[in-house]
Amino acid sequence: SLEEAMDKIRVGKADVVVAGGYDDIGRAGVMGFADMNATHNTDEMLAMGLEPHQFSRSNDVRRKGFVEAQGGGTFLVTRGDLALKMGVPVRAVIGYAASFGDGIQKSVPAPGMGGLAAALGGMESPLAKSLAAYGLKADDIGLVYKHDTSTNANDPNENKLHDKIQRALGRTPGNPLWVVSQKTLTGHSKGGAAAWQMGGMLQMMANGLVPGNRNLDSVDPAMESFGHMAFTDQSLEPGPGSLKAGLITSLGFGHVSGLALVLHPGLFLQALDEEKRESYLERVRERSAMELSQLTASLMGRAPLYEKRGHRRFDAADGSQQQVQ
């Protein structure tokens, strides 16, 4: 959905796009994932001495599958000049978004390698060129919000994907690419998972905090060969503005995958001269104050959360529809 939003805006078919995804829990889905051993076995996890909140454990040696979840998220995507004009708060700049498939399309639990196409060509690849357009390079990518499902097949496969991407982009050996496995906290909502990852990425951009990975007691030795990947169970605080870029991956069976490059909103402000920047920030403060007031009133029952449009935008004063030449 993010790729579609960017495409429509770039070719002039839309100025603003609401992008995102959601999913529900259903009997067929639960049974299907269980049949392919993608979800954990509760009795087996309890026998290992683990509590229910410890079942989802991406990259850990004791991982046995994901925990089901449901939900979704939406994001407002627009051009920078329109955000500037309207005083819309910019939470991040999308540097790149694309989806891939390797052509095999088998439903096997080792998805994602089609995403290597983002780095095909090394420094001349689409991902490298997207970084360079903002004056960045591979070493400026601070972390990756991964699809990590806590399955035996996905986690090493996805680490291999990102390690290969960083090698192709020329990342300096020893420069850690921090891994965030959000599903250990939220579970796996399938269609809504990447939207949740985007929400986490925007929070990270705002506060400069790299969240630690829950339940990561002992990293699987299988991950040792992926030298660029760095795992932590403790939150890190490099500070606001220090994390310039991050990657998000969303993977599916048949090696279908999506990858997005998310950049710090400071890059947007940096592109403005001082006068425009101050004017924009003032409008952002006004809009944010209005937003807080509206949300507070809605939560207190004093204003509706949503108002349905009751009239056509181009109606004439007498109620008849105007003719648009």
Side-chain angles (χ1 to χ4, degrees):
S1 62
L2 187 61
E3 178 188 18
E4 289 287 330
M6 289 185 66
D7 288 348
K8 286 179 170 58
I9 290 172
R10 281 174 169 170
V11 301
K13 286 189 174 182
D15 294 323
V16 178
V17 179
V18 178
Y22 73 95
D23 223 328
D24 200 353
I25 289 181
R27 180 182 178 86
V30 170
M31 293 179 65
F33 282 118
D35 286 345
M36 65 178 71
N37 295 318
T39 48
H40 70 279
N41 182 301
T42 299
D43 292 337
E44 184 179 356
M45 301 300 278
L46 290 172
M48 294 168 63
L50 299 171
E51 298 294 329
H53 68 276
Q54 299 173 317
F55 288 174
S56 184
R57 43 196 319 107
S58 300
N59 298 297
D60 188 79
V61 71
R62 291 191 291 173
R63 69 189 184 282
K64 295 291 183 181
F66 65 78
V67 175
E68 292 279 6
Q70 62 182 358
T74 54
F75 300 91
L76 196 67
V77 186
T78 187
R79 297 193 316 271
D81 63 329
L82 189 57
L84 176 64
K85 179 180 178 181
M86 297 180 64
V88 176
V90 174
R91 309 298 186 191
V93 175
I94 305 301
Y96 176 80
S99 53
F100 309 92
D102 68 356
I104 297 177
Q105 304 304 312
K106 289 184 178 179
S107 187
V108 294
M113 297 308 287
L116 286 173
L120 185 64
M123 300 307 294
E124 296 299 317
S125 66
L127 188 53
K129 289 181 177 179
S130 296
L131 283 164
Y134 293 91
L136 303 175
K137 54 186 179 179
D139 283 334
D140 293 310
I141 302 175
L143 79 166
V144 53
Y145 267 70
K146 291 170 70 241
H147 183 77
D148 282 340
T149 55
S150 300
T151 59
N152 287 327
N154 176 88
D155 295 3
N157 193 73
E158 191 176 3
N159 286 319
K160 181 179 181 180
L161 167 70
H162 283 287
D163 190 66
K164 282 182 173 290
I165 286 176
Q166 295 303 317
R167 291 176 187 273
L169 296 178
R171 189 181 189 88
T172 302
N175 179 16
L177 180 67
W178 296 108
V179 170
V180 179
S181 306
Q182 190 164 291
K183 290 182 178 65
T184 57
L185 177 66
T186 64
H188 189 1
S189 63
K190 279 72 71 180
W196 288 356
Q197 291 168 246
M198 177 63 79
M201 180 71 81
L202 299 188
Q203 290 177 336
M204 183 275 302
M205 291 287 184
N207 59 31
L209 175 70
V210 178
N213 294 294
R214 175 182 288 191
N215 302 330
L216 187 61
D217 295 335
S218 180
V219 178
D220 189 339
M223 314 306 179
E224 290 183 5
S225 61
F226 311 123
H228 288 297
M229 314 306 290
F231 306 89
T232 175
D233 63 341
Q234 300 293 320
S235 294
L236 309 174
E237 298 187 54
S242 59
L243 297 166
K244 299 177 182 179
L247 293 173
I248 292 175
T249 40
S250 181
L251 310 182
F253 295 124
H255 295 270
V256 173
S257 57
L259 184 145
L261 171 66
V262 184
L263 308 176
H264 194 278
L267 289 171
F268 172 74
L269 296 176
Q270 192 176 45
L272 307 176
D273 60 42
E274 185 175 356
E275 183 178 352
K276 286 185 178 180
R277 182 163 55 247
E278 290 304 317
S279 175
Y280 164 73
L281 291 175
E282 178 59 32
R283 292 195 300 277
V284 168
R285 286 189 285 268
E286 292 175 359
R287 181 178 286 273
S288 298
M290 180 179 65
E291 174 191 1
L292 179 60
S293 176
Q294 175 68 28
L295 178 60
T296 302
S298 298
L299 293 176
M300 296 177 68
R302 297 176 180 176
L305 282 168
Y306 168 73
E307 292 187 31
K308 184 177 180 180
R309 184 185 293 276
H311 62 281
R312 291 185 178 275
R313 183 177 177 186
F314 299 111
D315 278 356
D318 62 359
S320 61
Q321 192 167 2
Q322 295 175 337
Q323 296 296 317
V324 179
Q325 300 298 325

